[in-house]
Amino acid sequence: AVVGSGPSGCYTAKYLRTAWDKMGDGKNASNTIDIIERLPTPYGLVRFGVAPDHPEVKNVQNDFNSLFDHGDKGIQFLGNVQVGRDVSIDELRIRYDAVILATGCESD
């Protein structure tokens, strides 16, 4: 599981999935990555903190959209889930082989 769906969380999921796919032994094909987010929508500061018409932001959004557009990639977004309120770290550690905290920063 990856906790946080901002740039660090999305890139972590993307490259973890890519690494599994490159192993190519078939054992990792059924592995899934759940991206857990407190907000109802993904992308963190890419969505809420940067001018949306900036060309590089659009490229990043398109890259992240591709994570969730194809169910066959094994990456699932779980929004409106707050770690510490809805699920504990201990529960995540029991359910998943690995838990990556990529929560980012809420304010300056």
Side-chain angles (χ1 to χ4, degrees):
V2 176
V3 178
S5 69
S8 61
C10 285
Y11 279 123
T12 296
K14 175 184 176 178
Y15 290 109
L16 182 57
R17 179 82 258 165
T18 299
W20 280 341
D21 291 345
K22 284 183 180 178
M23 288 180 186
D25 60 8
K27 294 178 184 175
N28 298 306
S30 65
N31 288 346
T32 59
I33 301 168
D34 289 343
I35 299 180
I36 300 168
E37 172 61 51
R38 175 180 56 89
L39 299 173
T41 57
Y43 312 151
L45 283 177
V46 172
R47 183 179 300 264
F48 298 110
V50 183
D53 59 343
H54 193 280
E56 289 190 31
V57 172
K58 291 210 180 282
N59 290 338
V60 170
Q61 282 183 323
N62 290 336
D63 193 24
F64 292 170
N65 284 338
S66 70
L67 292 175
F68 305 115
D69 284 348
H70 304 94
D72 59 338
K73 287 193 177 181
I75 298 174
Q76 177 176 298
F77 176 75
L78 304 172
N80 284 325
V81 178
Q82 186 170 340
V83 175
R85 182 191 69 199
D86 301 314
V87 63
S88 71
I89 291 287
D90 289 336
E91 289 171 314
L92 293 175
R93 292 177 72 196
I94 290 167
R95 178 169 159 78
Y96 296 98
D97 293 325
V99 178
I100 299 166
L101 302 178
T103 55
C105 184
E106 279 190 45
S107 64
D108 290 343

